[in-house]
Amino acid sequence: MTMPEDDILAPRRSGSGNRSGAAASGTQARGPIIDQDGHEIRPETLEQGFREFRFEFGKNNPLAGNPFGNLTREQRIARIEAIAKLLDVAFILPGTNIRYGIDGLIGLIPVVGDIITTAISLWLVREARALGAPWYITARMLGNVAVDGVVGMVPFAGDAFDVMFRANMRNVRLLRRWLDKQPRT
């Protein structure tokens, strides 16, 4: 015998044979709503909360779409530099001065790790292009990413190369040099 859904939410009281299933499935209250601290929550408060809690998607919503779309030029450059540092020089090998980043760690995963880090590096090049870097700068940046990606595929030796070559830091340096030569507007 299965139990009706109404009985799961508010079990029937024994001895009250007068209640019908239709009356129990109506909109009448089944008892107070209690929060996690044991305080009663008024139904009006719940309805107000549900009206305020909503998501809006579309062109008119300033929070819709790309959360990074409204960054200033300086913020975008700072983001590129931060990601490059995280990828290439975020950590120091204990007892040495050798710096490495997530690129070297993720690159330890055969093939997939190198594909992931190369994709992130390509995104940094795309961001540089969006900042207005000319074709010759982006071509050099793509060359650095290609060398890092191809040599990084070689087991063990490629991972050591990833740690020493630091393609993303090289690319940020290229971008920074080009940006420093540009007139401020």
Side-chain angles (χ1 to χ4, degrees):
M1 178 173 150
T2 62
M3 185 181 279
E5 190 173 306
D6 289 335
D7 288 345
I8 294 172
L9 298 175
R12 289 187 192 161
R13 296 179 193 155
S14 59
S16 62
N18 296 359
R19 281 182 44 179
S20 68
S25 64
T27 59
Q28 68 189 57
R30 291 185 175 23
I33 301 169
I34 308 296
D35 70 1
Q36 63 191 16
D37 297 325
H39 304 287
E40 182 178 347
I41 300 174
R42 301 180 65 90
E44 304 85 40
T45 308
L46 281 177
E47 291 172 11
Q48 175 70 24
F50 285 130
R51 273 181 279 171
E52 292 175 1
F53 183 76
R54 65 179 185 263
F55 293 103
E56 290 186 22
F57 301 100
K59 293 181 180 179
N60 296 333
N61 184 5
L63 300 175
N66 185 359
F68 301 113
N70 297 330
L71 297 179
T72 65
R73 182 179 177 102
E74 290 77 23
Q75 289 172 329
R76 292 179 99 173
I77 294 167
R79 180 180 58 183
I80 291 171
E81 289 176 345
I83 292 172
K85 286 179 184 177
L86 180 66
L87 285 171
D88 289 342
V89 294
F91 312 107
I92 299 175
L93 193 61
T96 67
N97 270 345
I98 299 174
R99 298 186 71 88
Y100 65 97
I102 293 178
D103 189 357
L105 296 174
I106 296 174
L108 292 172
I109 302 169
V111 182
V112 175
D114 294 306
I115 291 172
I116 290 170
T117 57
T118 301
I120 295 170
S121 297
L122 288 172
W123 179 78
L124 292 176
V125 174
R126 182 201 155 280
E127 282 291 301
R129 186 68 181 152
L131 285 170
W135 67 270
Y136 61 91
I137 296 292
T138 54
R140 286 185 64 187
M141 292 172 82
L142 286 172
N144 288 336
V145 172
V147 168
D148 187 41
V150 170
V151 176
M153 294 272 188
V154 177
F156 302 114
D159 299 321
F161 180 79
D162 275 342
V163 170
M164 299 302 170
F165 186 64
R166 300 177 182 161
N168 299 303
M169 292 304 295
R170 288 173 184 254
N171 288 344
V172 166
R173 215 173 306 123
L174 280 169
L175 180 63
R176 186 49 86 181
R177 281 189 203 138
W178 176 77
L179 286 170
D180 288 343
K181 293 177 184 176
Q182 301 307 306
R184 297 276 178 185
T185 57

